[in-house]
Amino acid sequence: MKRVPMLSAGHAAVDFYQGAVPALVPFLVAGRGYGYVAVSGIVLAATLLSSIVQPLFGVLTDRWRMPWLIPLSMVVAGAGVAFGGVTDSYALTWLAVALSGLGVAAYHPEAARLARIASAGSHVRMSWFSLGGTLGFATAPVLVTPLLAWWGLGASPFLAVPAVLGAAVTLPAILATAGGERAATAAGPASGRDDWPSFVRLTLVIVFRSVVYVGLSAFVALYMGGGAAGAVALFVLFAGGAVGTVLGGRLAARWGRTRTMRLAYALSIPAVAGVALAPGPVALVFIAASSLALYAPFSLHVTLGQDLLPSRVGTAGGVTLGLAVSAGGLAGPLVGAVAEATTLRTALACLIVFPVLAWLLARTLKEPALT
């Protein structure tokens, strides 16, 4: 049984809803007349609530094994988006989208814990699990936009289909992995001492990385001129992220996680600088390089965090997959404010400082000595 590919498919299904909520925004504006503040509140309901609650679910999964939470959370995430598109009440729409974010938050800590078990310590396999989430998020606008453009918001219930399919595909892998975990637990508990200082530094690395990537994803299309050129830039950014996720796992298998992280963040510094400074279409090369470098350590963050907190792998997964990643996104409005006060090129140039900070902090991290 290919448990990791099955879990990766489930990861794609649940992260589809993180990308689906922003894709709903233009249709809520056109169909219901919501203003920018109103739709910003809806997006915030999904992203901020998910990032805050996710570590709490991590704490719960550290105390109690809850594999059943994975398919349930996927269905909840899908149901929230499906209902949010058909209700006419802003309050109900907000609550439905918040419910979807709650489902996404509930999924990640427990799923990351089981993926760690299923991958049996392989960085390559864990990178495939992470790749599922990247692809799910990136493909959401491709599926949501044509569906709602053709049928309108009334077709939103069809958006629950990926959640149901994902839960069905993932269920056999969950049962098999949870069964193997019970046998391993009976043989003896996980050993090792939690290294909180290193985990805090790793969390800051992820936040700095998130600031850069969210800033690029939010403004690179406009920077390249919008329209077809902007769409190409976003495709390059997302495609580079998918390739970088798998590449990072393979490099870590050969060189180790911390060495791969340091190399990736060192390379991201000139890559991000090139995005802001290179002329015209040449910037696409640096967009691709930035995405590769920023996503190469993505799955390594999760496994390293779990190894730094061996007695709290759920908490580690909740922070590295949720809170730290979303916290970086809070800097997005600041990047926009700099762009309005100066130029978009200047705002993107300001992002260069964050991969420098990530690289400096990554240099202080060492592979945990597991016993």
Side-chain angles (χ1 to χ4, degrees), residues 52-68:
I52 291 174
V53 174
Q54 203 159 149
L56 300 180
F57 279 105
V59 173
L60 292 176
T61 58
D62 284 333
R63 298 193 61 177
W64 299 285
R65 300 295 179 253
M66 298 184 289
W68 52 266

Side-chain angles (χ1 to χ4, degrees), residues 24 28 32 80-87 93 96 153-154 156-157:
L24 279 173
L28 293 174
R32 301 182 187 171
V81 169
F83 183 72
V86 295
T87 176
T93 299
L153 286 170
S156 296

Side-chain angles (χ1 to χ4, degrees), residues 3-48:
R3 289 181 292 172
V4 172
M6 290 179 178
L7 292 172
S8 180
H11 197 184
V14 78
D15 277 8
F16 171 87
Y17 296 102
Q18 292 197 77
V21 172
L24 279 173
V25 166
F27 299 97
L28 293 174
V29 172
R32 301 182 187 171
Y34 290 167
Y36 293 135
V37 174
V39 294
S40 295
I42 289 175
V43 174
L44 192 65
T47 56
L48 188 59

Side-chain angles (χ1 to χ4, degrees), residues 9-190:
H11 197 184
V14 78
D15 277 8
F16 171 87
Y17 296 102
Q18 292 197 77
V21 172
L24 279 173
V25 166
F27 299 97
L28 293 174
V29 172
R32 301 182 187 171
Y34 290 167
Y36 293 135
V37 174
V39 294
S40 295
I42 289 175
V43 174
L44 192 65
T47 56
L48 188 59
L49 179 65
S50 176
S51 65
I52 291 174
V53 174
Q54 203 159 149
L56 300 180
F57 279 105
V59 173
L60 292 176
T61 58
D62 284 333
R63 298 193 61 177
W64 299 285
R65 300 295 179 253
M66 298 184 289
W68 52 266
L69 187 61
I70 297 176
L72 176 62
S73 62
M74 296 169 70
V75 173
V76 169
V81 169
F83 183 72
V86 295
T87 176
D88 291 330
S89 164
Y90 178 82
L92 290 179
T93 299
W94 192 95
L95 289 173
V97 171
L99 181 67
S100 180
L102 190 66
V104 172
Y107 169 87
H108 282 100
E110 183 71 2
R113 189 178 62 80
L114 288 188
R116 172 188 171 91
I117 297 169
S119 63
S122 170
H123 301 312
V124 175
R125 292 176 188 169
M126 198 65 183
S127 71
W128 283 105
F129 171 73
S130 298
L131 176 63
T134 303
L135 293 179
F137 181 85
T139 56
V142 178
L143 298 178
V144 172
T145 300
L147 174 69
L148 299 188
W150 184 261
W151 296 102
L153 286 170
S156 296
F158 288 108
L159 296 176
V161 171
V164 176
L165 293 178
V169 169
T170 307
L171 189 58
I174 295 172
L175 295 175
T177 305
E181 180 190 23
R182 284 192 293 271
T185 302

Side-chain angles (χ1 to χ4, degrees), residues 13 36 101 141 176-177 193 205 211 218 225 227-228 231 240 263 274 299 304 325 338 345 349 353 358:
Y36 293 135
T177 305
R193 188 171 62 181
V205 168
V211 171
L263 176 62
S299 65
L304 185 59
V325 174
V338 173
R345 181 184 295 271
V353 69

